[in-house]
Amino acid sequence: MVNSHRLYPYPVLSEASDDYVDTKFTAGVEHSYVTGFIEFLFTADTNNEELNQLIEKGSAKIVFHLECSQTGFREAIAFSTSTFKYVVKEEYLNGKLQICPFIIVMQPIKQYTNKKFNTDYSGFAFELDPGCVLAVAPGYELMIEKHKDDLATIPSIFYITKNSAKDFQGFEVTVPQDRIGILLGEKEYENYRRLNANASIRGLLITLLIFPALAQVLQIFKEDEETLEEYSNYRWFRSIEKRAQELKLNLRSSDTSELYLAQQILDYPLLGSLYELSDTLEFRDTYDDGDSIS
């Protein structure tokens, strides 16, 4: 759904029409990947005085319409500022994402006129309802490629189970040959099992359990050569070492903390977890000023 050259029964500011003169509406979009999420930075600007006044009053808003045909995702984000951040779960998008920027009427406008109307519209005033398009900027097509989750191999080298000691509380880490074990107390394990059934907060569980466990295990890589040789054939050891090589990390450096290394290996899970928690608690519109258009 790239902006088409639609015909409107009233003037619309657009590169595709001459309804306005000596004025413009421009927009841009950037995106970046955070663990499990895609963060968009939208920018928009118009040098049209009347349109800016309508936006300031709340009678109109800047709207970016997002549509992904492969996943069926469709959403319109409305805001009143020149820049706006918006976060979408990575699972909602794949392949081509079409983004169309507009200025949209939010409240009824009885007599709309504009100093920059083409002379053909001199003396005319228009009654506009909510949802009417006031301006259109060129659209964007982004190719959203699933973030190559090499780090998915990192959570896969962990297993989480119950500690056999009856009175055990908290968690401890073991390093058998195949996978790293995270052993939880009975109550902790039962709570973990219930939470793990909720796919929307699994990233948060990675931050709570796998992140500190990985940081502890990374201490092994700073041991002597004999110890490294002992672990070198373990699956978890090879997986972590491979990931570190891809990221050009020196696991043996005494100048770099295990916490810092673990964050990089897991692609900074805290930020993704905060997005996940905000989304779960329905705070995902933190940057929004209150309106959304379906």
Side-chain angles (χ1 to χ4, degrees):
M1 180 213 61
V2 177
N3 294 353
S4 59
H5 301 333
R6 288 184 54 187
L7 297 177
Y8 297 89
Y10 55 86
V12 171
L13 176 57
S14 167
E15 287 187 356
S17 76
D18 59 359
D19 293 348
Y20 288 71
V21 295
D22 300 326
T23 189
K24 61 184 179 178
F25 170 51
T26 58
V29 58
E30 298 177 6
H31 71 291
S32 57
Y33 295 88
V34 182
T35 307
F37 292 82
I38 299 173
E39 183 178 89
F40 293 92
L41 175 63
F42 299 120
T43 58
D45 181 62
T46 179
N47 60 356
N48 188 278
E49 183 180 347
E50 285 84 351
L51 290 177
N52 278 322
Q53 288 174 351
L54 290 173
I55 293 170
E56 288 171 7
K57 291 192 303 182
S59 298
K61 290 206 171 182
I62 298 162
V63 173
F64 278 71
H65 186 275
L66 283 62
E67 184 170 331
C68 181
S69 58
Q70 187 165 329
T71 64
F73 175 85
R74 294 181 66 188
E75 193 148 348
I77 302 101
F79 55 99
S80 302
T81 54
S82 59
T83 62
F84 182 80
K85 286 184 179 179
Y86 191 72
V87 176
V88 179
K89 282 189 175 181
E90 190 177 46
E91 65 193 73
Y92 294 162
L93 303 175
N94 192 35
K96 186 185 295 183
L97 176 67
Q98 296 178 329
I99 302 176
C100 299
F102 302 94
I103 298 176
I104 301 289
V105 175
M106 303 300 291
Q107 300 172 0
I109 301 174
K110 297 298 183 183
Q111 297 287 316
Y112 175 62
T113 61
N114 198 296
K115 295 174 187 174
K116 297 296 183 178
F117 276 168
N118 188 302
T119 55
D120 291 344
Y121 297 103
S122 294
F124 286 90
F126 299 88
E127 185 171 331
L128 303 177
D129 295 321
C132 286
V133 174
L134 290 169
V136 183
Y140 292 84
E141 283 191 350
L142 303 180
M143 285 303 297
I144 302 296
E145 298 178 0
K146 290 295 185 183
H147 193 36
K148 281 197 175 180
D149 205 5
D150 292 328
L151 63 89
T153 62
I154 299 300
S156 74
I157 61 173
F158 287 82
Y159 69 92
I160 299 172
T161 189
K162 184 164 55 176
N163 193 306
S164 58
K166 187 174 181 181
D167 297 327
F168 180 83
Q169 289 185 309
F171 82 96
E172 66 176 354
V173 179
T174 63
V175 286
Q177 293 189 8
D178 185 26
R179 294 184 295 164
I180 298 164
I182 299 175
L183 309 183
L184 303 178
E186 184 174 1
K187 290 182 180 178
E188 290 90 342
Y189 181 70
E190 291 306 316
N191 282 324
Y192 160 75
R193 282 209 321 159
R194 285 195 292 269
L195 291 170
N196 194 46
N198 186 341
S200 65
I201 59 169
R202 283 182 186 156
L204 183 59
L205 293 178
I206 288 177
T207 301
L208 289 172
L209 297 173
I210 291 180
F211 172 56
L214 177 60
Q216 180 175 328
V217 169
L218 288 175
Q219 296 174 10
I220 292 173
F221 289 83
K222 296 182 179 180
E223 298 289 344
D224 56 55
E225 290 298 325
E226 184 177 344
T227 302
L228 293 176
E229 182 66 25
E230 177 187 348
Y231 289 110
S232 62
N233 289 323
Y234 288 15
R235 176 190 161 201
W236 59 262
F237 187 98
R238 296 196 307 271
S239 295
I240 293 173
E241 197 165 49
K242 179 183 177 184
R243 176 68 174 157
Q245 289 171 356
E246 291 169 352
L247 295 172
K248 297 181 171 56
L249 298 176
N250 182 359
L251 299 180
R252 292 161 177 73
S253 172
S254 58
D255 297 328
T256 309
S257 73
E258 289 82 8
L259 283 174
Y260 178 75
L261 292 170
Q263 288 181 76
Q264 292 189 82
I265 289 172
L266 290 172
D267 199 12
Y268 301 96
L270 178 59
L271 183 56
S273 296
L274 291 174
Y275 282 144
E276 198 170 75
L277 187 58
S278 296
D279 194 67
T280 302
L281 297 177
E282 298 182 350
F283 294 147
R284 85 178 274 175
D285 294 328
T286 300
Y287 299 101
D288 202 346
D289 50 15
D291 288 304
S292 180
I293 296 179
S294 300

